[in-house]
Short mmCIF file of all heavy atoms in Angstrom, two decimals:
data_model
loop_
_atom_site.label_atom_id
_atom_site.label_comp_id
_atom_site.label_asym_id
_atom_site.label_seq_id
_atom_site.Cartn_x
_atom_site.Cartn_y
_atom_site.Cartn_z
N VAL R 302 -69.55 -164.47 -137.87
CA VAL R 302 -68.88 -164.98 -136.66
C VAL R 302 -68.23 -166.30 -137.03
O VAL R 302 -68.59 -166.95 -138.02
CB VAL R 302 -69.87 -165.17 -135.48
CG1 VAL R 302 -70.38 -163.83 -134.98
CG2 VAL R 302 -71.03 -166.08 -135.86
N LYS R 303 -67.24 -166.72 -136.23
CA LYS R 303 -66.56 -167.98 -136.54
C LYS R 303 -66.19 -168.72 -135.27
O LYS R 303 -66.11 -168.13 -134.19
CB LYS R 303 -65.33 -167.75 -137.41
CG LYS R 303 -64.16 -167.09 -136.72
CD LYS R 303 -62.96 -167.00 -137.67
CE LYS R 303 -61.75 -166.38 -136.97
NZ LYS R 303 -60.58 -166.32 -137.87
N LYS R 304 -65.95 -170.01 -135.42
CA LYS R 304 -65.57 -170.85 -134.28
C LYS R 304 -64.58 -171.91 -134.74
O LYS R 304 -64.77 -172.53 -135.79
CB LYS R 304 -66.81 -171.52 -133.68
CG LYS R 304 -66.53 -172.32 -132.41
CD LYS R 304 -67.82 -172.88 -131.85
CE LYS R 304 -67.59 -173.71 -130.59
NZ LYS R 304 -67.12 -172.88 -129.46
N GLU R 305 -63.54 -172.13 -133.96
CA GLU R 305 -62.58 -173.20 -134.23
C GLU R 305 -63.09 -174.48 -133.60
O GLU R 305 -63.60 -174.48 -132.48
CB GLU R 305 -61.21 -172.84 -133.64
CG GLU R 305 -60.13 -173.88 -133.93
CD GLU R 305 -58.78 -173.48 -133.36
OE1 GLU R 305 -58.52 -172.27 -133.22
OE2 GLU R 305 -57.99 -174.40 -133.07
N TYR R 306 -62.98 -175.59 -134.32
CA TYR R 306 -63.42 -176.86 -133.75
C TYR R 306 -62.74 -178.02 -134.47
O TYR R 306 -62.07 -177.85 -135.48
CB TYR R 306 -64.95 -177.00 -133.84
CG TYR R 306 -65.49 -177.34 -135.22
CD1 TYR R 306 -66.05 -178.59 -135.49
CD2 TYR R 306 -65.45 -176.40 -136.26
CE1 TYR R 306 -66.56 -178.90 -136.74
CE2 TYR R 306 -65.95 -176.71 -137.52
CZ TYR R 306 -66.50 -177.95 -137.75
OH TYR R 306 -66.99 -178.26 -138.99
N GLN R 307 -62.94 -179.21 -133.92
CA GLN R 307 -62.40 -180.43 -134.51
C GLN R 307 -63.51 -181.10 -135.29
O GLN R 307 -64.50 -181.55 -134.72
CB GLN R 307 -61.89 -181.39 -133.42
CG GLN R 307 -60.89 -180.77 -132.48
CD GLN R 307 -59.63 -180.35 -133.19
OE1 GLN R 307 -59.04 -181.13 -133.93
NE2 GLN R 307 -59.21 -179.11 -132.99
N ARG R 308 -63.38 -181.16 -136.59
CA ARG R 308 -64.47 -181.71 -137.39
C ARG R 308 -64.26 -183.18 -137.68
O ARG R 308 -63.15 -183.70 -137.64
CB ARG R 308 -64.63 -180.93 -138.70
CG ARG R 308 -63.55 -181.15 -139.74
CD ARG R 308 -63.90 -180.37 -141.01
NE ARG R 308 -62.88 -180.43 -142.03
CZ ARG R 308 -62.75 -181.42 -142.91
NH1 ARG R 308 -63.55 -182.44 -142.86
NH2 ARG R 308 -61.81 -181.40 -143.83
N PHE R 309 -65.36 -183.86 -138.02
CA PHE R 309 -65.32 -185.27 -138.40
C PHE R 309 -64.69 -185.45 -139.76
O PHE R 309 -65.00 -184.73 -140.70
CB PHE R 309 -66.75 -185.83 -138.44
CG PHE R 309 -66.86 -187.14 -139.19
CD1 PHE R 309 -66.39 -188.30 -138.64
CD2 PHE R 309 -67.41 -187.18 -140.46
CE1 PHE R 309 -66.49 -189.50 -139.32
CE2 PHE R 309 -67.51 -188.36 -141.16
CZ PHE R 309 -67.05 -189.53 -140.58
N LYS R 310 -63.76 -186.41 -139.84
CA LYS R 310 -63.23 -186.82 -141.14
C LYS R 310 -63.34 -188.33 -141.25
O LYS R 310 -63.11 -189.06 -140.29
CB LYS R 310 -61.78 -186.37 -141.30
CG LYS R 310 -61.63 -184.85 -141.46
CD LYS R 310 -60.21 -184.48 -141.87
CE LYS R 310 -60.10 -182.97 -142.12
NZ LYS R 310 -58.77 -182.58 -142.59
N ALA R 311 -63.67 -188.78 -142.45
CA ALA R 311 -63.87 -190.22 -142.64
C ALA R 311 -62.56 -190.98 -142.61
O ALA R 311 -62.52 -192.15 -142.26
CB ALA R 311 -64.59 -190.46 -143.97
N ASP R 312 -61.47 -190.35 -142.98
CA ASP R 312 -60.17 -190.99 -143.05
C ASP R 312 -59.55 -191.04 -141.65
O ASP R 312 -59.25 -190.03 -141.04
CB ASP R 312 -59.25 -190.20 -144.00
CG ASP R 312 -57.93 -190.91 -144.27
OD1 ASP R 312 -57.43 -191.59 -143.35
OD2 ASP R 312 -57.43 -190.78 -145.39
N LYS R 313 -59.33 -192.25 -141.11
CA LYS R 313 -58.83 -192.38 -139.75
C LYS R 313 -57.40 -191.88 -139.60
O LYS R 313 -56.99 -191.44 -138.55
CB LYS R 313 -58.92 -193.84 -139.30
CG LYS R 313 -60.35 -194.29 -139.05
CD LYS R 313 -60.40 -195.67 -138.45
CE LYS R 313 -61.84 -196.07 -138.15
NZ LYS R 313 -61.94 -197.41 -137.56
N THR R 314 -56.61 -191.95 -140.68
CA THR R 314 -55.25 -191.41 -140.64
C THR R 314 -55.30 -189.91 -140.40
O THR R 314 -54.55 -189.36 -139.60
CB THR R 314 -54.50 -191.70 -141.96
OG1 THR R 314 -54.55 -193.10 -142.20
CG2 THR R 314 -53.06 -191.23 -141.88
N GLU R 315 -56.24 -189.24 -141.07
CA GLU R 315 -56.43 -187.81 -140.86
C GLU R 315 -56.87 -187.54 -139.43
O GLU R 315 -56.44 -186.57 -138.80
CB GLU R 315 -57.49 -187.26 -141.83
CG GLU R 315 -56.95 -186.81 -143.16
CD GLU R 315 -58.04 -186.14 -143.98
OE1 GLU R 315 -59.04 -186.82 -144.28
OE2 GLU R 315 -57.89 -184.95 -144.29
N ASN R 316 -57.72 -188.40 -138.89
CA ASN R 316 -58.23 -188.19 -137.54
C ASN R 316 -57.12 -188.27 -136.50
O ASN R 316 -57.22 -187.66 -135.44
CB ASN R 316 -59.31 -189.22 -137.21
CG ASN R 316 -60.68 -188.78 -137.71
OD1 ASN R 316 -60.96 -187.60 -137.75
ND2 ASN R 316 -61.50 -189.72 -138.11
N ARG R 317 -56.08 -189.04 -136.79
CA ARG R 317 -54.96 -189.14 -135.85
C ARG R 317 -54.09 -187.90 -135.87
O ARG R 317 -53.32 -187.65 -134.97
CB ARG R 317 -54.13 -190.39 -136.15
CG ARG R 317 -54.80 -191.69 -135.70
CD ARG R 317 -53.81 -192.83 -135.72
NE ARG R 317 -53.43 -193.20 -137.06
CZ ARG R 317 -54.04 -194.15 -137.76
NH1 ARG R 317 -55.07 -194.78 -137.26
NH2 ARG R 317 -53.63 -194.44 -138.98
N ASN R 318 -54.20 -187.13 -136.94
CA ASN R 318 -53.41 -185.92 -137.07
C ASN R 318 -54.24 -184.74 -136.54
O ASN R 318 -55.07 -184.21 -137.22
CB ASN R 318 -53.04 -185.69 -138.54
CG ASN R 318 -52.12 -184.49 -138.71
OD1 ASN R 318 -52.05 -183.62 -137.86
ND2 ASN R 318 -51.42 -184.47 -139.83
N HIS R 319 -53.99 -184.37 -135.28
CA HIS R 319 -54.80 -183.36 -134.61
C HIS R 319 -54.81 -182.05 -135.39
O HIS R 319 -55.83 -181.40 -135.52
CB HIS R 319 -54.26 -183.14 -133.19
CG HIS R 319 -55.04 -182.14 -132.41
ND1 HIS R 319 -56.21 -182.46 -131.73
CD2 HIS R 319 -54.84 -180.81 -132.19
CE1 HIS R 319 -56.67 -181.39 -131.13
NE2 HIS R 319 -55.87 -180.37 -131.38
#
Side-chain angles (χ1 to χ4, degrees):
V302 292
K303 71 176 182 178
K304 185 177 179 67
E305 182 178 333
Y306 76 110
Q307 305 297 310
R308 72 177 176 84
F309 163 74
K310 290 190 176 183
D312 188 326
K313 289 187 177 180
T314 305
E315 272 187 298
N316 275 328
R317 285 194 290 268
N318 184 339
H319 181 83

